[in-house]
């Protein structure tokens, strides 16, 4: 599919009223009909327009009929601001401070981007495989084009847009799919987004992403960056399954650390506790991941179980990691012998507080009495000690880390 972003024709400029109410200048309608006679879009394209009068009239002239209106395709909202002599300069300021209201009545540019991108996503999702023409505005289309390209807004292109003008987008997979979109749509979106993120900020992964995506086995997974670590999952986070099956991170000098653990083993970005196998280049790392995923075996043991031991070395409780967070380990705990720890955990569960780090969905956690934990030592299966422990609980889940 191809997305055609059409900027409206020349309006009648009236400084006394908001630009959102300006109408198309009849003296320049021939410029729109000229474009209509030489359309870059196919005859069966699907049409939608901004609600603003100049855009609706442009769409009518181009399509030869009334075009459905989508309210959220309207331009960056500058209602009630009055005439702005240095318009281009203030718009550039809005782009430079996207979360700010740079003038009274001006919508933060981030809000414009969110609503326009979401409107386009819904249109694309509702018309799979169809070419689509959207008629609207220069600032809105600059923001949408940046989202579709995985790039920063091109302000030079914005300032040089004509009236009318067309931005043609041949790839729309960077638009976030619908919550219930099929797995292939999510997979394509995530790989494209990953490649875009690599070009912008994760430069170490640029030679890695395409190589992994092209691999028949690895390319079927769902990738995501987290803290400069590439994670490969069996499903996206909105699916019924999102199990982490492989991880890659840079180690410097063009080398990579890569893990593809055996079934049931847990791992993540906590490299200080995990024996990461290291590989000299992209090809070696990809080969190791492919081999590990195919055989479900690891070259080295993966730390995923910890014991809380008393001064005599006896195990008081067993901690099993089921996930690894940037702040610590998440999992379950079983107290294996009579000890004040059991009562301390029960007391903590009875008095929940806020979770200690930011998450998308609020949860309640509470800290276990550090005095009970002080005499205990956390040791991994391989003998690594975690150090003085912070233990928080939420229902049957436990979060722990070193102080």
């Amino acid at each position: 599919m191809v997305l055609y972003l059409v900027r409206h024709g020349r309006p009648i400029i009236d400084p006394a009223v908001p630009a959102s109410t300006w109408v198309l200048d009849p003296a320049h309608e021939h410029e729109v009909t000229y474009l209509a006679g030489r359309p870059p879009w196919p005859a069966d394209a699907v049409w939608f327009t901004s609600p603003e009068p100049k855009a609706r009239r442009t769409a009518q002239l181009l399509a030869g009929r009334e075009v459905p209106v989508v309210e959220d395709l309207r331009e960056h909202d500058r209602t009630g601001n009055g005439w702005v002599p240095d318009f281009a300069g203030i718009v550039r300021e809005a782009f430079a401070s996207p979360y700010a209201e740079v003038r009274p009545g001006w919508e933060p540019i981030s809000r414009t981007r969110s609503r326009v991108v979401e409107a386009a996503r819904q249109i694309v999702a509702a018309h799979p495989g169809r070419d689509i023409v959207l008629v609207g505005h220069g600032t809105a289309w600059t923001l949408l084009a940046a989202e579709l390209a995985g790039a920063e807004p091109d302000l030079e292109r914005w300032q040089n847009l004509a009236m009318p003008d067309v931005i043609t987008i041949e790839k729309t997979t960077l638009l976030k799919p619908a919550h219930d979109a099929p797995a292939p749509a999510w997979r394509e979106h995530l790989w494209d987004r990953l490649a875009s993120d690599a070009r912008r900020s994760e430069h170490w992964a640029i030679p890695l992403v395409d190589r992994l995506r092209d691999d028949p086995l690895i390319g079927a997974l769902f990738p995501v960056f987290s803290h400069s670590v590439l994670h490969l999952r069996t499903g996206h986070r909105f699916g019924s399954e999102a199990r982490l099956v492989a991880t890659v991170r840079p180690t410097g000098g063009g080398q990579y650390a890569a893990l593809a653990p055996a079934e049931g083993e847990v791992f993540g970005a906590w490299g200080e506790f995990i024996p990461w196998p290291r590989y000299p280049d992209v090809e070696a790392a990809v080969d190791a991941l492919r081999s590990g995923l195919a055989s479900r075996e690891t070259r080295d043991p993966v730390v995923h179980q910890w014991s809380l031991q008393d001064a005599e070395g006896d195990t008081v409780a067993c901690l099993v990691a089921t996930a690894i967070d940037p702040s610590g380990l998440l999992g379950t705990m079983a107290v294996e012998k009579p000890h004040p720890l059991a009562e301390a955990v029960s007391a903590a569960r009875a008095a929940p507080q806020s979770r200690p780090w930011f998450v998308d969905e609020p949860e309640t956690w509470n800290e276990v009495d550090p005095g009970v934990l002080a005499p205990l030592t956390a040791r991994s299966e391989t003998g690594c000690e975690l150090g003085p422990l912070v233990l928080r609980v939420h229902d049957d889940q436990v979060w722990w880390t070193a102080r």
Side-chain angles (χ1 to χ4, degrees):
M1 69 168 294
V2 180
L3 190 62
Y4 301 90
L5 307 179
V6 180
R7 189 190 193 190
H8 59 77
R10 282 198 256 184
I12 297 176
I13 297 175
D14 184 355
V17 299
S20 60
T21 66
W22 292 352
V23 298
L24 199 65
D25 189 344
H28 292 283
E29 285 192 354
H30 68 279
E31 297 168 348
V32 179
T33 55
Y34 180 85
L35 175 60
R38 298 159 180 78
W41 47 79
D44 63 348
V46 179
W47 288 75
F48 295 93
T49 181
S50 155
E52 297 188 21
K54 55 186 176 289
R56 294 180 67 175
R57 179 58 178 163
T58 298
Q60 183 184 34
L61 291 172
L62 291 175
R65 55 180 171 80
E66 290 290 334
V67 171
V69 170
V70 176
E71 183 68 28
D72 281 345
L73 293 180
R74 66 188 182 278
E75 178 61 305
H76 177 220
D77 190 353
R78 303 156 187 149
T79 304
N81 56 62
W83 182 249
V84 182
D86 184 20
F87 173 73
I90 301 299
V91 171
R92 286 179 178 271
E93 183 182 339
F95 275 95
S97 303
Y99 301 100
E101 185 180 291
V102 295
R103 283 180 63 90
W106 279 46
E107 179 182 39
I109 210 79
S110 61
R111 191 178 303 161
T112 309
R113 181 170 184 154
S114 294
R115 64 170 168 78
V116 172
V117 168
E118 177 59 18
R121 185 197 67 75
Q122 291 185 25
I123 291 169
V124 169
H127 301 85
R130 298 290 301 276
D131 292 334
I132 297 171
V133 182
L134 304 180
V135 183
H137 311 274
T139 303
W141 290 167
T142 297
L143 292 164
L144 179 56
E147 182 74 15
L148 294 169
E152 295 301 318
D154 187 343
L155 296 186
E156 300 309 314
R157 188 184 192 186
W158 163 75
Q159 196 149 12
N160 292 322
L161 282 172
M163 297 183 187
D165 210 337
V166 183
I167 299 173
T168 302
I169 308 290
E170 296 188 2
K171 198 172 187 64
T172 59
T173 53
L174 286 178
L175 286 173
K176 187 177 179 180
H179 177 90
D180 57 352
W186 270 101
R187 187 180 300 115
E188 186 175 10
H189 164 72
L190 291 174
W191 277 112
D192 282 345
R193 175 60 69 186
L194 197 77
S196 170
D197 290 345
R199 290 192 300 270
R200 285 197 290 181
S201 58
E202 304 283 355
H203 296 156
W204 64 271
I206 291 175
L208 184 70
V209 170
D210 288 343
R211 183 68 186 81
L212 291 172
R213 182 175 189 166
D214 291 341
D215 186 271
L217 179 63
I218 299 174
L221 300 174
F222 293 78
V224 65
F225 278 130
S226 176
H227 303 275
S228 294
V229 177
L230 171 60
H231 299 310
L232 299 169
R233 303 173 182 270
T234 55
H236 63 83
R237 69 186 183 96
F238 295 119
S240 59
E241 185 180 17
R243 185 166 51 88
L244 197 63
V245 297
T247 297
V248 189
R249 67 177 174 88
T251 61
Q255 295 186 334
Y256 296 87
L259 279 173
E263 292 288 351
E265 291 183 318
V266 177
F267 64 101
W270 262 36
E272 61 268 37
F273 298 121
I274 298 174
W276 289 79
R278 298 192 177 199
Y279 303 97
D281 53 33
V282 167
E283 289 302 318
V286 173
D287 288 345
L289 287 181
R290 187 194 307 110
S291 174
L293 289 170
S295 66
R296 308 306 304 157
E297 294 177 356
T298 48
R299 296 168 183 254
D300 293 289
V302 177
V303 176
H304 66 283
Q305 183 167 309
W306 301 74
S307 298
L308 285 180
Q309 299 177 358
D310 58 22
E312 287 72 38
D314 295 330
T315 297
V316 172
C318 181
L319 301 168
V320 178
T322 57
I324 299 180
D325 181 89
S327 300
L329 300 168
L330 286 171
T332 60
M333 182 178 70
V335 180
E336 299 187 347
K337 59 178 289 187
H339 193 275
L341 178 62
E343 294 181 6
V345 170
S346 297
R349 286 188 173 125
Q353 296 178 355
S354 298
R355 193 172 181 176
W357 73 93
F358 175 81
V359 291
D360 292 335
E361 298 180 3
E363 295 182 10
T364 53
W365 293 70
N366 199 36
E367 185 171 342
V368 174
D369 182 359
V372 176
L373 294 171
L376 303 178
T377 301
R379 288 191 175 88
S380 72
E381 294 172 300
T382 57
C384 177
E385 291 189 8
L386 191 56
L389 202 65
V390 175
L391 198 67
R392 291 183 172 93
V393 295
H394 171 69
D395 294 334
D396 62 344
Q397 290 293 301
V398 178
W399 174 83
W400 65 93
T401 188
R403 287 191 181 276

